Amino acid sequence: MPETASPRLFPLFADLRGRAVLVVGGGAVAARKVEALAGTGARIRVGAPALEPALAAAAARGELEHLPGRFVPSWLDGTWLAIAATDDAAVNRAVAEAGEARGVWVNVVDDAALARVQLPARVERGPLQIAISSGGGAPMLARLVRERLETQFDESFGALAGLLARHRRTIVARWPDTAARRRAFERLLAGPLQGLLRRRRHIEAERMLERELAPAGDAAPARGSVALVGAGPGDAGLLTLRALRLLGEADVILHDRLVSSEVLQLARRDAERIEVGKQAGRHAVPQEAINALLVEHAAAGRRVVRLKGGDPFVFGRGGEELEALRAAGIDYEVVPGITAAAACAAYAGIPLTHRDHAQSVRLVTAHAKEGPDTLDWAALAQERQTLAFYMGVARLEVVQAQLIAHGRPPETPFALVENGTRADQRVVQGRLTDLSHLARHHAVQSPALLIVGEVAALAGALHWFGAPPLGASDVPLANAA
Ligand code: SAH
């Protein structure tokens, strides 16, 4: 029996088809081990005086054989692998010793010293499996690593492993030389194949692989793709897992100025970063030029991430960019992000809807340059709704004047969230009638989101992030508007 965990363990993946595997124990732990054996084709036998309900049901369905009673060494006859999963250390030891004597591999749950084989922590994506071991010395660490890996590999890896396995023979025949095969794989995986799988377009992915596998000459030149990705409001913790993965794969990142450096730091080190951001009043790359850049980089075979602050489809011109990509025949996908209204509200402690105060919420932009003001101010001025205004601070005066002119009470609460979710977040709270005055007094800068409505008053009580809200009490009231 191994005395210490110090010699290195040898990793194996076992084909258990038709092999007898014995699980000793009839409780929850044993049930988990039986579950882990599902789909392996093993003949499962569970030895225990009694079985917990799920195991008993599986036995009744004929999925496992129940050996009733206390462990006896003859249970190991004809067994290939045994798992001791009882809560009785003496029984577990007896299984280990009997296994050792008979040359049967034995795993003992939670006892690395007694176990001859260990069951790894696993990440499973279809036929692709990642097994993790700490040598039995630090199972919690192995679990932590597993959790990290879980976030890194999405379901498309399972589909990809299955797809490649189905075409394994053709792949080997197409590139008999391993070095050439490796190069071909690298090219293939850098292309849009996995993106198609991620978008659940399995048939197209299969066709694409078949085209690649066709005799030389037929393969189309590698084409890149564009992922339109929402970067969220700034706090990198608010990125989606998919956004994070795509940032890790990108060759080129075209980002707005609004995207925080904290988020950009998570991108692949050697990815080319291009800032195309707009800032009110300052010269920036015109939209047509951004569209052209996207098409140009993708057509050259690169994986492009178009990274936008917040959500790409909320005041982000994401639609225009997709139209340009569609026209150019470039593949794309869209990853939503946490939009400023949701993020700023959360980080200011303002529920956007509330059964007592607001049954609806509107996302509004009131930019000056976008042509004539077509907003329905009368509708916006109605009570019991929350308004979230996306815009530069220069427009605050107009919003205040229009809402009041159309009947929203001057004492309606507002909250202005500057640099929402970022380390330097500030919240200014007050009454609609004091909006532009307070914004000027506190020198609120862009980016800032304006929330108007009864719910805005809750920031005072519910704030939790950064400094408490600034308000009218911080202003000499003598100059109040
Ligand atoms: N697509 C973005 C919005 C782009 S419009 C999204 O979904 O959030 C730009 C406006 O969004 C800014 O003028 C500001 O009003 C708001 N905004 C974006 N990020 C913000 C942040 N971190 N804090 C406050 N306002 C923000």
Side-chain angles (χ1 to χ4, degrees), residues 85-112:
T86 78
D87 53 9
D88 183 334
V91 173
N92 289 348
R93 176 170 289 278
V95 177
E97 282 167 0
E100 192 70 14
R102 288 164 187 246
V104 175
W105 286 6
V106 177
N107 169 259
V108 183
V109 170
D110 285 339
D111 195 335

Short mmCIF file of all heavy atoms in Angstrom, two decimals, residues 85-112:
data_model
loop_
_atom_site.label_atom_id
_atom_site.label_comp_id
_atom_site.label_asym_id
_atom_site.label_seq_id
_atom_site.Cartn_x
_atom_site.Cartn_y
_atom_site.Cartn_z
N ALA A 85 -16.56 3.60 -0.71
CA ALA A 85 -17.24 4.87 -0.45
C ALA A 85 -18.16 4.77 0.74
O ALA A 85 -19.27 5.29 0.73
CB ALA A 85 -18.01 5.31 -1.71
N THR A 86 -17.71 4.10 1.77
CA THR A 86 -18.53 4.03 2.99
C THR A 86 -18.03 5.07 3.98
O THR A 86 -16.95 5.65 3.79
CB THR A 86 -18.45 2.64 3.66
OG1 THR A 86 -17.20 2.55 4.38
CG2 THR A 86 -18.51 1.52 2.63
N ASP A 87 -18.79 5.30 5.05
CA ASP A 87 -18.32 6.24 6.07
C ASP A 87 -17.66 5.49 7.23
O ASP A 87 -17.43 6.04 8.29
CB ASP A 87 -19.47 7.14 6.56
CG ASP A 87 -20.67 6.32 7.01
OD1 ASP A 87 -20.53 5.08 7.11
OD2 ASP A 87 -21.74 6.91 7.26
N ASP A 88 -17.34 4.23 6.98
CA ASP A 88 -16.72 3.40 8.01
C ASP A 88 -15.26 3.12 7.60
O ASP A 88 -15.00 2.37 6.66
CB ASP A 88 -17.53 2.09 8.12
CG ASP A 88 -17.01 1.18 9.23
OD1 ASP A 88 -15.81 1.28 9.57
OD2 ASP A 88 -17.80 0.37 9.73
N ALA A 89 -14.33 3.76 8.30
CA ALA A 89 -12.92 3.66 7.93
C ALA A 89 -12.44 2.22 7.90
O ALA A 89 -11.62 1.84 7.06
CB ALA A 89 -12.07 4.50 8.89
N ALA A 90 -12.95 1.38 8.83
CA ALA A 90 -12.51 -0.02 8.89
C ALA A 90 -12.94 -0.77 7.63
O ALA A 90 -12.17 -1.56 7.07
CB ALA A 90 -13.10 -0.69 10.13
N VAL A 91 -14.16 -0.51 7.16
CA VAL A 91 -14.64 -1.17 5.94
C VAL A 91 -13.81 -0.70 4.75
O VAL A 91 -13.34 -1.51 3.93
CB VAL A 91 -16.15 -0.87 5.71
CG1 VAL A 91 -16.59 -1.41 4.34
CG2 VAL A 91 -16.99 -1.48 6.81
N ASN A 92 -13.58 0.62 4.67
CA ASN A 92 -12.79 1.15 3.55
C ASN A 92 -11.40 0.51 3.53
O ASN A 92 -10.89 0.13 2.48
CB ASN A 92 -12.67 2.67 3.65
CG ASN A 92 -13.99 3.37 3.34
OD1 ASN A 92 -14.93 2.73 2.85
ND2 ASN A 92 -14.06 4.66 3.61
N ARG A 93 -10.81 0.37 4.72
CA ARG A 93 -9.48 -0.25 4.82
C ARG A 93 -9.54 -1.71 4.38
O ARG A 93 -8.66 -2.18 3.64
CB ARG A 93 -8.96 -0.14 6.26
CG ARG A 93 -7.63 -0.83 6.49
CD ARG A 93 -7.05 -0.50 7.86
NE ARG A 93 -6.57 0.89 7.92
CZ ARG A 93 -5.37 1.27 7.47
NH1 ARG A 93 -4.54 0.39 6.94
NH2 ARG A 93 -4.98 2.52 7.56
N ALA A 94 -10.60 -2.41 4.77
CA ALA A 94 -10.72 -3.83 4.39
C ALA A 94 -10.82 -3.96 2.87
O ALA A 94 -10.21 -4.87 2.28
CB ALA A 94 -11.97 -4.44 5.05
N VAL A 95 -11.54 -3.05 2.22
CA VAL A 95 -11.66 -3.09 0.76
C VAL A 95 -10.28 -2.86 0.13
O VAL A 95 -9.85 -3.58 -0.78
CB VAL A 95 -12.67 -2.03 0.25
CG1 VAL A 95 -12.73 -2.05 -1.28
CG2 VAL A 95 -14.06 -2.28 0.83
N ALA A 96 -9.55 -1.85 0.67
CA ALA A 96 -8.24 -1.53 0.12
C ALA A 96 -7.29 -2.72 0.27
O ALA A 96 -6.57 -3.07 -0.67
CB ALA A 96 -7.67 -0.30 0.83
N GLU A 97 -7.32 -3.35 1.44
CA GLU A 97 -6.40 -4.46 1.68
C GLU A 97 -6.75 -5.67 0.82
O GLU A 97 -5.87 -6.29 0.22
CB GLU A 97 -6.39 -4.84 3.17
CG GLU A 97 -5.55 -3.84 3.97
CD GLU A 97 -5.73 -3.95 5.48
OE1 GLU A 97 -6.53 -4.81 5.92
OE2 GLU A 97 -5.07 -3.17 6.20
N ALA A 98 -8.04 -5.95 0.72
CA ALA A 98 -8.46 -7.09 -0.11
C ALA A 98 -8.11 -6.83 -1.58
O ALA A 98 -7.69 -7.73 -2.31
CB ALA A 98 -9.96 -7.34 0.05
N GLY A 99 -8.27 -5.60 -2.01
CA GLY A 99 -7.94 -5.24 -3.39
C GLY A 99 -6.45 -5.40 -3.65
O GLY A 99 -6.03 -5.92 -4.68
N GLU A 100 -5.65 -4.93 -2.70
CA GLU A 100 -4.20 -5.02 -2.83
C GLU A 100 -3.79 -6.49 -2.97
O GLU A 100 -2.98 -6.85 -3.82
CB GLU A 100 -3.55 -4.38 -1.58
CG GLU A 100 -2.07 -4.15 -1.69
CD GLU A 100 -1.71 -3.05 -2.68
OE1 GLU A 100 -2.60 -2.28 -3.10
OE2 GLU A 100 -0.53 -2.99 -3.07
N ALA A 101 -4.39 -7.35 -2.16
CA ALA A 101 -4.05 -8.77 -2.17
C ALA A 101 -4.43 -9.42 -3.50
O ALA A 101 -3.76 -10.34 -3.97
CB ALA A 101 -4.74 -9.49 -1.02
N ARG A 102 -5.51 -8.94 -4.11
CA ARG A 102 -5.99 -9.58 -5.33
C ARG A 102 -5.59 -8.86 -6.61
O ARG A 102 -6.02 -9.24 -7.70
CB ARG A 102 -7.53 -9.62 -5.30
CG ARG A 102 -8.07 -10.61 -4.30
CD ARG A 102 -9.52 -10.35 -4.02
NE ARG A 102 -9.94 -11.22 -2.94
CZ ARG A 102 -10.83 -12.21 -3.09
NH1 ARG A 102 -11.40 -12.41 -4.25
NH2 ARG A 102 -11.12 -12.99 -2.08
N GLY A 103 -4.84 -7.78 -6.46
CA GLY A 103 -4.44 -7.05 -7.67
C GLY A 103 -5.58 -6.28 -8.30
O GLY A 103 -5.61 -6.07 -9.51
N VAL A 104 -6.54 -5.87 -7.47
CA VAL A 104 -7.63 -5.04 -7.99
C VAL A 104 -7.33 -3.58 -7.63
O VAL A 104 -6.90 -3.29 -6.53
CB VAL A 104 -8.99 -5.45 -7.35
CG1 VAL A 104 -10.10 -4.52 -7.78
CG2 VAL A 104 -9.32 -6.90 -7.72
N TRP A 105 -7.55 -2.69 -8.57
CA TRP A 105 -7.31 -1.26 -8.28
C TRP A 105 -8.41 -0.75 -7.39
O TRP A 105 -9.59 -0.93 -7.68
CB TRP A 105 -7.30 -0.47 -9.59
CG TRP A 105 -6.05 -0.70 -10.37
CD1 TRP A 105 -5.07 -1.60 -10.07
CD2 TRP A 105 -5.66 -0.03 -11.54
NE1 TRP A 105 -4.08 -1.53 -10.99
CE2 TRP A 105 -4.41 -0.57 -11.91
CE3 TRP A 105 -6.21 0.98 -12.31
CZ2 TRP A 105 -3.72 -0.13 -13.03
CZ3 TRP A 105 -5.52 1.41 -13.42
CH2 TRP A 105 -4.29 0.87 -13.78
N VAL A 106 -8.00 -0.09 -6.30
CA VAL A 106 -8.99 0.39 -5.34
C VAL A 106 -8.83 1.90 -5.13
O VAL A 106 -7.72 2.39 -4.93
CB VAL A 106 -8.86 -0.33 -3.97
CG1 VAL A 106 -9.87 0.26 -2.97
CG2 VAL A 106 -9.09 -1.83 -4.14
N ASN A 107 -9.94 2.57 -5.20
CA ASN A 107 -9.98 3.98 -4.81
C ASN A 107 -10.71 4.06 -3.47
O ASN A 107 -11.74 3.41 -3.30
CB ASN A 107 -10.72 4.81 -5.86
CG ASN A 107 -11.02 6.22 -5.35
OD1 ASN A 107 -12.13 6.52 -4.95
ND2 ASN A 107 -10.00 7.06 -5.36
N VAL A 108 -10.16 4.82 -2.54
CA VAL A 108 -10.84 5.03 -1.27
C VAL A 108 -11.20 6.50 -1.19
O VAL A 108 -10.31 7.37 -1.26
CB VAL A 108 -9.97 4.62 -0.07
CG1 VAL A 108 -10.74 4.78 1.23
CG2 VAL A 108 -9.50 3.17 -0.24
N VAL A 109 -12.48 6.75 -1.07
CA VAL A 109 -12.93 8.14 -1.07
C VAL A 109 -12.33 8.88 0.11
O VAL A 109 -12.35 8.37 1.25
CB VAL A 109 -14.48 8.16 -1.03
CG1 VAL A 109 -14.98 9.57 -0.78
CG2 VAL A 109 -15.04 7.61 -2.34
N ASP A 110 -11.77 10.03 -0.14
CA ASP A 110 -11.22 10.88 0.92
C ASP A 110 -10.08 10.24 1.70
O ASP A 110 -9.83 10.63 2.85
CB ASP A 110 -12.33 11.30 1.92
CG ASP A 110 -13.23 12.36 1.33
OD1 ASP A 110 -12.78 13.04 0.39
OD2 ASP A 110 -14.38 12.48 1.79
N ASP A 111 -9.40 9.29 1.14
CA ASP A 111 -8.23 8.74 1.82
C ASP A 111 -7.15 8.41 0.79
O ASP A 111 -7.04 7.28 0.31
CB ASP A 111 -8.62 7.50 2.63
CG ASP A 111 -7.52 7.13 3.64
OD1 ASP A 111 -6.34 7.50 3.38
OD2 ASP A 111 -7.83 6.49 4.64
N ALA A 112 -6.36 9.42 0.47
CA ALA A 112 -5.35 9.27 -0.57
C ALA A 112 -4.31 8.22 -0.19
O ALA A 112 -3.79 7.51 -1.04
CB ALA A 112 -4.68 10.62 -0.84
#
